[in-house]
Amino acid sequence: MSAPRKRISRSIVRRALVLMLLFCMAAVGLIFALFQLQVLKYDYYQRQVLDQMTYETEVNPERGTIYDRNGNILAANATVYLIFISPEDIIDAMAELEEAAVEAAKTDGKEIPPTTFDWVSPNGTAYSGLKMNELIAHALSDILGVDYNSVIEKAAKDGRRYEVIQKNVDQERADQVRAFIAQFGFTQQIYLRASSIRYYPYDTLASHVIGFTNSDGVGIYGLESYYNNILEGTSGRYIKAQDAHHGDMPFDFETYVEAENGCSIVTTMDMYIQYELENQLESTYYESAAGNRVTGIVLDVETSGVLAMATYPPFDLNNPYKLDAESQAKLDTLDPESEEYKSTYNSLLYTMWKNKATTELYEPGSTFKIITTAMGLEENAVQINEKFFCSGAHTVAGYSDPIHCHKKGGHGSLPFYQMLQQSCNPTMMKLADRLGGDVFYNYFLSFGYGGITGIDLPGESYPIISAKKNFGVVELAVYSFGQTFKVTPIQQLTAISSVANGGYLQTPHLLREIVDDSGNVVQSYETDTVRQVVSTESCEIISTILEDGVSGNGGAKNAYVKGYKVAAKTGTSEKRDKYDENGERPYRIGSCVAYAPADDPKVAVIIVVDEPMRGNVYGSVVAAPYVSKLLSFVLPYMGIEAQYTEEELKRIEVSISNYVKATVEAAEADLGWRGINYTIVGKGDTITAQVPAAGSTIYKDTGKLILYTGDEEPKNTVTVPDVVGKTAEAANRILVNAGLNVTLSGATNGDTATVIHQVPAAGEVVPSATVVTVEVRHLGLTDD
């Protein structure tokens, strides 16, 4: 008979179950922890391991270059260095030195390694007994000019491997840091990383167009900003593995991701046209005492590519946070410690950076009459020989006050084409009335005034215009001569250019090509024609009228250029939203638009002078003469040959060659062939001196050249008469009668222009036949 089973105690079973449950819970917890470590937080711990095993250095790409259309560099890169330290490696190295010294001290006869350093800086300062962190701080302070205590603080940041000491270090100082690293073997403690900073070889040239980058190399203004994504490229990475002692692992453990350099851009700009535009803006800025800057644009009529664009005063692209002289003078009147000083500085800085040609609005004034005329001709609302009468004012139905013409006594009865040349306001109001509000407004929008032009620059301002529902008879009347609405200069020139090119509205642009790092053209800009607004026939009629006014007796005759047919219109508008301390509105904006040659336009120009405060403030005086000088350079520079009228040929200028050391026989033969009047003084066979000097220009019909031979020298002298304020005709007569040569510049279309400047100055004693250069200008013109 089998023995009875021993019964297991219930308490034992309960304990076993509890233990089993605890084990299960522990297993579940362990599994969950492993799941969390290996799955949920895999990426996190992988990064932690990689951070301990590897270190990564960013490789900066090379920013693309900005070129003008001829390949001249407008913005490029200069190599600079970032200096940074690894505090963790400094602390570890110092600890290892201390440990090595302690271990050596325990061993009899073993030399104790030094834990301090001696050093002589490049400037001759000697240091001794320095710990590693102190030595590094002194060295970087002396070489880079950084604060010693700041370096000490950064070197004490345990666990950090990247503390920036200084950015944009030049080559010379970087070489000194390298020499210091090599001298003490601090290759794990101090690092140099080569990078690029933006460099602008022409400082202020086209500053408002090119723009600049911030300290991180990101474009924040101008083309640098607009095309930043194309120019900046993509950063690369250099990843290296390290052992437990932070030493580099073998090459097999390195990874290099190459940086992709940015593309370069070729612009439509021409550096030399840009130079000349800025020269003329500078001249009118100071001569007119402009209170709110001046701006100008040169546009390729056929493509709408911007050849030049500038605002004066400019700023230094290599030092963009430095105010221009005029702005600094305003700031200097304030207390540097005051809040007003800081806020004023920021305000002046942002104003200085603003591209006036694209971001600031103005009333275009009478330059808009070109557009009103285009509407009228296209709609057959006017004939160019049709007579209009101007009494000096015009009353609009429903508006009690008469709207005045700039000519108070009125223009009387004249054909329409002369009314346009003389800039008659009532005539334009009458034409607009014939068109009607709907037709006028639709054309207004078609010419691009309803929005921005779309030029490839940041921050283009939208125009301020009346909504169509609010466009009544008064708006129609004043819009006809360019008042009470505001546009940007680029918008106005774009509309004018559409008349110059035969009626086609195009998008103005600065980009010509995008070029990759290997020089391959990635993309070329194609001319963007938005629409044809008016017919080519209407445009050609307008061009003829405007050119006749410039070469004849129109209000824009100061825009005249000898040998070229220039179509131009001037304008002056009142700043209705700005008052002086007396509650008056004395501020004006004078402007001039032009294109040439009028019979085959290639280039269009605008100059806008904001708040001229000296002398005549009309656009015909403060802008047109400078448009003339600008076109006098641009047209021949672009290879457009001069075509002189018969009248101009009578006053043709010739350049004097160098006859010194030539034989008398050879000189006489050359001068006879060229038709230049000359006199030979002396009986020698060789020319020893001449007046005027080689390179001078004289009039072929009235000019004379004196050649000296043998021992003869220019002895006969003349005191230069004062001809400033005289008419061109009177000045020419006075100077020629005094035995001097004369060269006239400026508005030489007619003898009624007034002399405003002469060189040499009145009272100077000069040799007989010296050339006196006289600048003439038509004064007293108005063009509201």
Side-chain angles (χ1 to χ4, degrees):
M1 186 173 176
S2 60
R5 292 181 183 179
K6 189 174 182 180
R7 196 168 181 179
I8 301 174
S9 169
R10 289 183 179 180
S11 62
I12 294 174
V13 172
R14 281 197 299 270
R15 284 196 296 270
L17 289 173
V18 170
L19 285 172
M20 185 178 296
L21 181 61
L22 290 173
F23 278 121
C24 288
M25 290 175 63
V28 169
L30 181 61
I31 293 170
F32 177 75
L34 290 172
F35 179 78
Q36 195 173 35
L37 289 171
Q38 297 188 13
V39 179
L40 297 180
K41 293 189 176 182
Y42 173 81
D43 292 338
Y44 170 78
Y45 286 107
Q46 184 186 50
R47 285 196 301 270
Q48 293 295 312
V49 172
L50 289 175
D51 286 346
Q52 294 180 19
M53 294 180 59
T54 65
Y55 62 93
E56 180 178 309
T57 302
E58 184 178 2
V59 180
N60 293 325
E62 190 83 358
R63 190 173 178 85
T65 302
I66 300 177
Y67 298 95
D68 82 343
R69 66 176 187 159
N70 299 312
N72 296 304
I73 295 175
L74 301 176
N77 305 303
T79 300
V80 292
Y81 296 86
L82 170 70
I83 310 293
F84 66 96
I85 61 174
S86 173
E88 184 176 345
D89 286 297
I90 293 173
I91 293 169
D92 288 350
M94 291 173 63
E96 289 173 4
L97 287 174
E98 293 290 343
E99 185 179 338
V102 170
E103 290 298 322
K106 293 178 180 179
T107 306
D108 292 338
K110 187 172 182 178
E111 183 179 353
I112 299 176
T115 59
T116 60
F117 303 85
D118 300 333
W119 180 63
V120 179
S121 73
N123 62 18
T125 304
Y127 298 95
S128 60
L130 299 177
K131 294 182 179 180
M132 182 184 291
N133 63 333
E134 296 171 337
L135 173 61
I136 290 173
H138 274 298
L140 297 181
S141 176
D142 284 10
I143 296 171
L144 303 178
V146 296
D147 180 63
Y148 170 84
N149 292 325
S150 173
V151 181
I152 287 291
E153 290 176 7
K154 291 180 178 181
K157 295 181 178 181
D158 196 5
R160 296 278 297 171
R161 304 202 64 191
Y162 180 84
E163 284 294 322
V164 174
I165 301 301
Q166 193 171 74
K167 297 179 179 179
N168 300 334
V169 176
D170 59 37
Q171 188 69 50
E172 181 181 357
R173 293 184 299 158
D175 288 342
Q176 292 178 0
V177 174
R178 281 199 187 93
F180 172 76
I181 293 171
Q183 180 180 352
F184 294 97
F186 291 162
T187 57
Q188 300 297 316
Q189 287 76 32
I190 306 173
Y191 294 86
L192 290 85
R193 182 193 298 168
S195 62
S196 296
I197 60 169
R198 214 52 169 162
Y199 171 68
Y200 304 94
Y202 303 105
D203 296 326
T204 62
L205 186 73
S207 55
H208 294 92
V209 178
I210 297 170
F212 56 94
T213 60
N214 62 15
S215 59
D216 295 321
V218 178
I220 56 175
Y221 271 90
L223 291 170
E224 292 277 29
S225 172
Y226 194 91
Y227 289 111
N228 184 68
N229 291 339
I230 291 172
L231 292 165
E232 68 177 352
T234 304
S235 297
R237 290 179 298 159
Y238 184 47
I239 305 171
K240 294 189 70 173
Q242 60 185 3
D243 58 25
H245 300 287
H246 302 304
D248 290 340
M249 302 260 307
F251 183 76
D252 291 344
F253 295 93
E254 295 181 0
T255 300
Y256 178 66
V257 180
E258 189 173 2
E260 295 182 15
N261 291 336
C263 289
S264 297
I265 61 173
V266 180
T267 68
T268 58
M269 297 180 69
D270 188 297
M271 185 178 76
Y272 297 105
I273 296 177
Q274 182 72 28
Y275 265 127
E276 189 59 28
L277 172 62
E278 295 191 12
N279 287 338
Q280 298 309 322
L281 293 182
E282 180 181 12
S283 294
T284 188
Y285 176 79
Y286 288 110
E287 290 177 20
S288 67
N292 194 29
R293 305 194 298 167
V294 298
T295 189
I297 309 166
V298 182
L299 204 62
D300 184 322
V301 166
E302 296 177 337
T303 67
S304 286
V306 177
L307 298 173
M309 176 185 286
T311 299
Y312 194 90
F315 62 92
D316 187 351
L317 290 170
N318 292 307
N319 191 8
Y321 294 91
K322 179 182 179 181
L323 295 175
D324 60 64
E326 287 76 9
S327 299
Q328 187 63 49
K330 295 177 182 177
L331 188 66
D332 288 342
T333 62
L334 304 175
D335 177 8
E337 301 300 321
S338 66
E339 286 299 319
E340 184 183 6
Y341 183 94
K342 297 174 185 176
S343 63
T344 301
Y345 167 77
N346 289 329
S347 176
L348 290 170
L349 190 68
Y350 289 123
T351 298
M352 181 182 75
W353 289 342
K354 288 180 68 176
N355 184 345
K356 194 175 184 71
T358 61
T359 66
E360 293 190 15
L361 302 172
Y362 80 114
E363 295 183 17
S366 292
T367 62
F368 186 81
K369 290 172 183 173
I370 296 174
I371 305 302
T372 301
T373 300
M375 300 178 192
L377 290 174
E378 193 66 14
E379 290 295 312
N380 292 316
V382 66
Q383 301 299 315
I384 63 171
N385 292 308
E386 180 183 354
K387 289 291 186 70
F388 283 77
F389 181 78
C390 170
S391 64
H394 178 67
T395 301
V396 177
Y399 188 68
S400 58
D401 295 330
I403 300 175
H404 294 278
C405 186
H406 67 90
K407 189 172 184 180
K408 294 182 179 179
H411 291 94
S413 180
L414 290 173
F416 177 81
Y417 75 89
Q418 287 188 338
M419 288 297 195
L420 174 60
Q421 293 170 351
Q422 297 299 322
S423 200
C424 177
N425 291 348
T427 297
M428 292 298 145
M429 288 187 273
K430 293 172 184 178
L431 175 55
D433 185 58
R434 291 183 184 182
L435 290 167
D438 287 343
V439 172
F440 184 98
Y441 199 86
N442 289 337
Y443 271 110
F444 185 75
L445 297 182
S446 293
F447 272 109
Y449 290 105
I452 59 175
T453 66
I455 189 172
D456 44 348
L457 283 173
E460 182 183 5
S461 294
Y462 279 82
I464 298 176
I465 64 173
S466 295
K468 191 169 184 178
K469 64 180 180 179
N470 299 324
F471 194 76
V473 291
V474 176
E475 287 75 19
L476 175 62
V478 292
Y479 270 44
S480 71
F481 55 91
Q483 301 278 11
T484 71
F485 66 91
K486 291 186 176 183
V487 298
T488 58
I490 185 61
Q491 194 163 39
Q492 181 63 5
L493 187 60
T494 299
I496 298 300
S497 184
S498 70
V499 174
N501 69 25
Y504 296 91
L505 183 69
Q506 297 175 336
T507 303
H509 63 280
L510 284 145
L511 179 66
R512 184 175 179 179
E513 292 175 341
I514 298 174
V515 181
D516 68 16
D517 197 34
S518 301
N520 302 309
V521 177
V522 176
Q523 179 183 338
S524 296
Y525 184 91
E526 301 295 333
T527 301
D528 178 27
T529 300
V530 181
R531 68 181 71 89
Q532 183 171 11
V533 186
V534 293
S535 67
T536 300
E537 181 182 3
S538 296
C539 296
E540 289 175 347
I541 293 171
I542 293 172
S543 298
T544 301
I545 295 173
L546 295 176
E547 192 280 325
D548 286 345
V550 170
S551 59
N553 194 35
K557 55 188 176 183
N558 275 329
Y560 168 82
V561 179
K562 183 187 294 185
Y564 294 95
K565 293 182 177 181
V566 176
K569 186 74 188 73
T570 59
T572 308
S573 58
E574 179 184 4
K575 299 186 79 168
R576 304 170 191 278
D577 51 0
K578 186 172 182 178
Y579 297 83
D580 64 12
E581 62 276 8
N582 299 318
E584 302 292 332
R585 296 187 300 194
Y587 305 106
R588 301 290 186 270
I589 297 178
S591 64
C592 178
V593 296
Y595 54 90
D599 52 356
D600 185 19
K602 301 296 182 185
V603 61
V605 177
I606 187 171
I607 287 180
V608 179
V609 182
D610 198 345
E611 297 182 13
M613 302 303 289
R614 181 183 296 131
N616 190 321
V617 300
Y618 288 98
S620 54
V621 176
V622 299
Y626 306 95
V627 166
S628 170
K629 292 179 182 180
L630 177 59
L631 289 174
S632 296
F633 169 83
V634 171
L635 294 171
Y637 171 77
M638 294 180 67
I640 302 171
E641 293 187 8
Q643 297 180 347
Y644 297 102
T645 64
E646 290 185 11
E647 187 63 30
E648 289 171 338
L649 286 171
K650 293 178 183 178
R651 302 290 291 163
I652 197 70
E653 294 175 345
V654 291
S655 179
I656 299 299
S657 300
N658 184 13
Y659 296 104
V660 176
K661 297 185 179 180
T663 65
V664 171
E665 182 180 3
E668 287 183 321
D670 182 69
L671 291 166
W673 172 76
R674 298 177 65 191
I676 299 175
N677 298 318
Y678 65 93
T679 299
I680 295 179
V681 179
K683 299 185 180 298
D685 297 325
T686 304
I687 308 299
T688 57
Q690 69 180 68
V691 179
S696 301
T697 58
I698 62 175
Y699 285 120
K700 191 173 182 178
D701 58 345
T702 61
K704 63 180 179 179
L705 172 66
I706 302 178
L707 301 174
Y708 297 87
T709 67
D711 295 330
E712 296 290 341
E713 296 179 353
K715 296 177 181 177
N716 294 332
T717 59
V718 177
T719 300
V720 179
D722 184 2
V723 294
V724 173
K726 307 289 186 183
T727 65
E729 182 182 23
N732 184 69
R733 183 177 63 254
I734 292 169
L735 293 170
V736 169
N737 290 341
L740 298 165
N741 282 300
V742 184
T743 297
L744 295 177
S745 66
T748 59
N749 48 338
D751 293 325
T752 59
T754 303
V755 177
I756 64 166
H757 184 64
Q758 69 176 77
V759 177
E764 288 191 34
V765 179
V766 298
S768 180
T770 294
V771 177
V772 178
T773 301
V774 172
E775 183 179 356
V776 296
R777 187 175 297 174
H778 295 286
L779 302 177
L781 299 175
T782 59
D783 49 33
D784 271 308

